[in-house]
Amino acid sequence: MMLDSVKRTAELVRRYSAASLDVAGLLCDRHPGGAVAVKVVGDDLTVTTLTYAELSEASRRFAAVLARRGVGPGDRVATLMGKSADLLTVLVGSWRVGAVHVPLFTAFAEAAVSDRLRNSKTRLVVADAVQRHKIGEGGWEVLAAEDLATELAETEPWEPGSVAIGGDGPLVHMFTSGTTGSPKGVVHPARYIGGWHSYLEFGLGVGPESVYWSAADPGWAYGLYTAVVAPLAAGVPTILLPGGFSADTTAGVLSRLKVTHFAAAPTVYRSLRNSGRIGAGELSVPHLSSAGEPLTPDVNAWAPSTLGALVHDHYGQTELGMPIGFPHDPGIARPVLDGAMGVALPGWSVTVLDPDRDEPGAPGTLGRLAVVVADSPHMTFTAYADGEDHGRFVGDGRYYVTGDTASIDTTGVVRFSARDDDVIIMAGYRIGPFDVESALARHPAVAECAVIAAADEVRGEVIEAYVVTATGHTVTEAELRQWVKDLYAAHAYPRRIHFVPHLPKTPSGKIQRAELRRRRREEILDENGS
């Protein structure tokens, strides 16, 4: 598929900004009834399909269930559900009555669930039976997902059909991951879908004939939009695989369904590699994409011979969508480069601001990664749910700063360095942990790694690394230090390496470097007798 990116961007912006926009109509009713909306894959790899006609019928019935409970435009409806056809019924049914979806990740603990329900002022939450115990008492009603079939069977479809909320109407009330502070509420308008539809086409390269699978969980922004909303908007069948990650099942789905377009977090690719489940030449998945964390070069040293293609790294945020990546669409494709996150995707303009001034820095220098607001028609974020922007907008509102440090060269290629609070400043050098992690990850004995700054009396900060060794491998600190010196830089090697059984991660799989820094600070205090 090759698209005219400028014309297509303008078309999508117009479509999703329309005052008459009807979310359920756009995601469901306008598609041919007999077309497949979703393929749900069972444990034995059998496939159950849900057509748009079936989704329309079920979601109209759920809309009636909501209306009977007094849920209407602007009310929050949360889901604490696994990947299933029922999840789509609840989502589309909620949008039919003009309600706002609150996604909850099933790995959340009770406190995280309650906080999000309370902060979003959720009216009703639909929960799987195994999740019900996490929902405490509050101002919300609970509907058990196992009772959904009975409720739908006993309810006539909602006669109004759907409510048009317009492009500026609230669609989703979700929360940032909280890796750099307390989770903040983000209320996205319906026109936010346009940026994700664009990403599906240009970034992921998905078209009408694609066999498409996003393995991300809909409890998070990337999974909600790439696995559910964007493919429904585009009328492209999506694949849902209930349950947690399994290398065997993932390999089986890729092979059995002949997936052509696959998107997943770097952790999934590394886990597939480490499992040894897929042999060289066994699979051919021509379009592979990654998001959520920087893609370390070791993945692409393995992927072509095993999965049949290079993995394209993509970058986004809950607040933004997906503004940067190596696109799969042939009309704008760029060669994939190790250690780079890609270029600005259609509908976006990005720059790197000087560390100290709110203006673009020199090409190739590290600075604050930012979106140029006026030149980014897919940009919809203006403030968090509390009405504050928390310092995101600088330069009199010209730039949205992402909180990440990066560089951009004269060709527009962006290279990620670190979160602002992950940057290591050692003896005057600014060192991004990603570069060191990329070098470490290339060692065959390293399954996973994370690099942090630790206090040092002489240098201010020094690099320390946490390493999970690969099964069947052993390696020493000295060997890994020399490896980084040889592969990356003589000055930017870990002064100390901690071998650990696993790394702390968020429920979405992102490494929690802040937690590692906290633990290390406590250890240093204990070592010094403080």
Side-chain angles (χ1 to χ4, degrees), residues 81-103:
M81 304 171 68
K83 305 172 200 173
S84 64
D86 282 346
L87 174 63
L88 268 66
T89 293
V90 172
L91 293 182
V92 177
S94 298
W95 288 322
R96 281 194 185 283
V97 300
V100 181
H101 174 51
V102 180

Side-chain angles (χ1 to χ4, degrees), residues 198-393:
S198 176
Y199 171 66
L200 185 81
E201 294 181 349
F202 289 109
L204 300 177
V206 173
E209 305 304 318
S210 301
V211 181
Y212 168 62
W213 180 23
S214 170
D217 194 284
W220 294 100
Y222 191 79
L224 174 63
Y225 288 98
T226 61
V228 178
V229 177
L232 288 182
V236 174
T238 186
I239 295 171
L240 294 181
L241 177 65
F245 171 79
S246 158
D248 282 346
T249 306
T250 299
V253 173
L254 290 172
S255 176
R256 177 76 67 86
L257 273 65
K258 295 181 172 55
V259 173
T260 61
H261 293 69
F262 181 59
T267 303
V268 169
Y269 291 104
R270 287 193 289 265
S271 298
L272 282 173
R273 179 198 63 192
N274 295 341
S275 73
R277 170 62 178 77
I278 306 171
E282 277 189 34
L283 287 177
S284 178
V285 186
H287 301 279
L288 301 167
S289 302
S290 171
E293 282 237 314
L295 185 72
T296 47
D298 57 297
V299 172
N300 272 336
W302 160 83
S305 62
T306 310
L307 300 179
L310 289 169
V311 182
H312 291 218
D313 197 9
H314 295 153
Y315 167 89
Q317 287 189 338
T318 301
E319 295 91 333
L320 297 175
M322 303 299 293
I324 299 171
F326 284 107
H328 283 280
D329 181 81
I332 57 172
R334 300 283 289 271
V336 173
L337 302 173
D338 281 347
M341 56 207 290
V343 297
L345 294 172
W348 295 97
S349 175
V350 300
T351 189
V352 170
L353 301 178
D354 183 272
D356 303 313
R357 294 172 296 144
D358 294 332
E359 57 186 58
T365 58
L366 282 180
R368 296 168 293 157
L369 181 63
V371 171
V372 184
V373 176
D375 297 332
S376 300
H378 286 318
M379 175 82 174
T380 62
F381 177 80
T382 57
Y384 291 97
D386 62 6
E388 302 292 329
D389 71 11
H390 294 275
R392 287 296 195 184
F393 292 94

